[in-house]
Amino acid sequence: MGVGKGQIQAPDLDEKRDFGPHKVLPMKIHQPNQFVPSEEHMDLLTTYKQDYNPYPICRVDLIKPRDSKYPCGDKMECLPTYKADYLPWNQPRRELLRPPQNYQPASTKFDSRTTHQDDYSMKGLVNTVSCKPPAVPKLCHVPLEDLTNYKMSYMAHPLEKRFVYEPEKFRPSEIPFESFTTHKESYRGLMGEAAKSLKPPARPCGRDTPFSTTTEFRDKYQAWPTPQVFSRAPAAYVPPEEKMDLLTTVQAHYTYPKGAPAQPCRPARSVKKGGHFESSTTTKDDYKQWASVRTGLVRPVPQLNLPTEPLDCLTTTRAHYVPHPPIATKSCKPPWAGPRGNIPVEGQTTYTISFTPKEMSRCLASYPEPPGYIFEETDALGHRIYRPISQTGSRRSSCLSVGDSENPNQQELAVSA
């Protein structure tokens, strides 16, 4: 419940009567059992040592047949597939369609002020007064017990000496190493002409002629006159006259009282079992659980004595809620028929049945004069309109242009110039 301005919250009398101070007894320290080392000997064998046995080293024979020692004297044909199949088209270069440059900058001076500077002016700070009553510290003379389960139950055991494995000594192979590689054995270079140098012959420089200090950059690229950059003087900073309140909401309202967390007063919910519940799922049917024993949790024994007087904590759920027994639902899942055999998968798909390959034709707009069309006129936008040769009679008002998607079903062709 919120507290208004100028009001003081009265203490709850029922809370003081029900929750009174109790005598706190010291917790009993659990004495762990004494550690007894096992007398059995540890087997240090691994799966790698048992299953992977060493085999004698033997030389592997070559699978690739040996080539002839005599090189081939035929000349190598150096025409690649790209140069033979992909030939350039003899098409004239098109002119670019660009809008005319009609932009002219304004002659008036530019005002650098923004809408934020004009509409939002600097305002002073507002001092707020807190209406929360002052927090009175609650003193408690009972000392805080700092014993934890870790301090009471943990016992340090002496560490055993680490076992160090002795590495096996390296045994070199008795077979000598052959320095031949696949590249040295199989590769044979083709006989070809030596590369000719395209470097021009060196000419002796004349010593009598003076060295020219002029360059192309000095002759053609002259320095342009650069105007002086206009810099706006920044506005002088004026500090505010009001004093800033540096106290935050956390520092003003939230304190850190020393106390225990609140215990829930809601009793445990009792579930009444009635009828058979179908608890079989797909995971329980298909994935069988391994035989394992779950380790129980080690929990401390509570030593707090609860009050004998009952607490009047009747809630809306206890007063109006009526528990109903759960309704057992019948499973409609068919029984498992066992694992299936090796049934072959049907390899036909919708793509392999319905796909029909089509021939890729050249776009008519790439020709200077499209075949099967006659030039008719040029419109205002610069598009050249062509009419089919077989078309007779009156002209139609619609035309088909490249990139025009409004009237796709037209018989005339328009090409950008």
Side-chain angles (χ1 to χ4, degrees):
M1 181 177 179
V3 181
K5 184 176 180 180
Q7 296 180 3
I8 301 176
Q9 187 178 5
D12 195 353
L13 299 178
D14 296 339
E15 183 179 357
K16 286 188 175 182
R17 183 177 65 250
D18 295 341
F19 297 93
H22 300 280
K23 185 178 180 181
V24 181
L25 300 177
M27 299 180 65
K28 296 181 180 180
I29 301 176
H30 175 70
Q31 298 293 340
N33 299 331
Q34 188 178 2
F35 174 73
V36 180
S38 179
E39 299 179 356
E40 299 180 357
H41 182 67
M42 183 177 180
D43 188 7
L44 300 177
L45 292 178
T46 60
T47 311
Y48 186 84
K49 289 185 178 182
Q50 291 180 351
D51 299 342
Y52 296 91
N53 301 324
Y55 294 95
I57 302 174
C58 59
R59 184 176 180 181
V60 181
D61 298 334
L62 295 176
I63 302 176
K64 188 175 181 180
R66 295 181 178 272
D67 296 337
S68 176
K69 295 182 179 180
Y70 302 98
C72 180
D74 299 339
K75 187 176 180 180
M76 181 179 178
E77 184 180 356
C78 300
L79 184 63
T81 310
Y82 187 85
K83 289 185 178 180
D85 297 344
Y86 295 91
L87 302 177
W89 293 352
N90 298 326
Q91 299 293 338
R93 188 174 181 179
R94 299 179 182 179
E95 298 180 0
L96 299 178
L97 296 177
R98 295 181 178 178
Q101 299 290 341
N102 299 328
Y103 173 73
Q104 295 180 0
S107 59
T108 58
K109 188 177 179 180
F110 178 72
D111 187 9
S112 60
R113 292 188 60 83
T114 60
T115 310
H116 184 83
Q117 294 178 357
D118 296 340
D119 298 343
Y120 297 92
S121 59
M122 182 63 184
K123 298 179 181 180
L125 302 177
V126 179
N127 295 330
T128 58
V129 180
S130 177
C131 300
K132 186 177 180 180
V136 180
K138 298 180 180 179
L139 302 178
C140 182
H141 301 286
V142 181
L144 180 64
E145 188 174 359
D146 58 346
L147 292 178
T148 59
N149 297 337
Y150 184 82
K151 291 183 179 180
M152 293 186 297
S153 303
Y154 177 74
M155 173 179 283
H157 300 283
L159 298 177
E160 299 180 357
K161 189 177 181 181
R162 186 177 179 182
F163 180 76
V164 181
Y165 294 91
E166 296 182 358
E168 299 180 358
K169 295 183 179 180
F170 173 72
R171 295 180 299 176
S173 179
E174 299 177 356
I175 304 175
F177 180 73
E178 186 176 358
S179 62
F180 285 102
T181 60
T182 309
H183 183 80
K184 290 182 180 180
E185 258 186 319
S186 305
Y187 177 73
R188 295 291 182 270
L190 298 177
M191 299 296 293
E193 298 179 359
K196 297 180 180 180
S197 177
L198 301 178
K199 185 178 180 181
R203 296 179 181 179
C205 59
R207 299 180 180 178
D208 299 335
T209 56
F211 182 73
S212 179
T213 58
T214 60
T215 59
E216 184 182 359
F217 184 82
R218 293 182 179 181
D219 295 342
K220 296 184 179 180
Y221 296 93
Q222 303 297 334
W224 290 2
T226 56
Q228 186 178 3
V229 181
F230 174 76
S231 59
R232 193 182 189 91
Y237 173 74
V238 179
E241 299 177 357
E242 293 81 1
K243 187 177 180 181
M244 185 176 180
D245 187 8
L246 301 177
L247 191 63
T248 60
T249 309
V250 179
Q251 296 176 358
H253 304 301
Y254 295 95
T255 57
Y256 304 94
K258 297 182 180 180
Q263 299 292 334
C265 301
R266 184 177 179 179
R269 182 179 177 182
S270 59
V271 180
K272 297 181 181 181
K273 299 181 180 179
H276 177 68
F277 179 71
E278 181 68 26
S279 62
S280 63
T281 58
T282 309
T283 306
K284 289 185 178 181
D285 294 344
D286 299 341
Y287 299 93
K288 304 302 179 182
Q289 187 179 6
W290 293 356
S292 60
V293 180
R294 184 176 181 182
T295 307
L297 300 177
V298 179
R299 297 180 179 177
V301 180
Q303 302 293 336
L304 181 63
N305 297 327
L306 300 178
T308 56
E309 298 180 0
L311 178 65
D312 187 9
C313 55
L314 188 62
T315 59
T316 309
T317 305
R318 289 187 176 183
H320 300 282
Y321 178 72
V322 179
H324 300 280
I327 302 174
T329 57
K330 185 178 180 182
S331 176
C332 300
K333 180 180 178 181
W336 186 48
R340 297 184 179 181
N342 297 329
I343 302 175
V345 182
E346 185 178 356
Q348 294 183 355
T349 59
T350 309
Y351 182 81
T352 55
I353 297 174
S354 305
F355 176 73
T356 304
K358 299 180 181 180
E359 182 181 359
M360 297 180 64
S361 59
R362 182 178 174 183
C363 182
L364 296 177
S366 62
Y367 292 95
E369 296 294 335
Y373 290 85
I374 300 175
F375 176 74
E376 185 176 5
E377 62 180 357
T378 304
D379 59 357
L381 298 178
H383 297 170
R384 304 181 64 184
I385 302 175
Y386 291 83
R387 183 168 47 88
I389 299 176
S390 59
Q391 180 180 357
T392 56
S394 62
R395 298 180 181 177
R396 300 186 180 182
S397 60
S398 60
C399 61
L400 178 63
S401 60
V402 177
D404 190 5
S405 60
E406 295 181 359
N407 301 320
N409 300 324
Q410 297 179 355
Q411 295 184 2
E412 293 186 358
L413 177 66
V415 181
S416 300

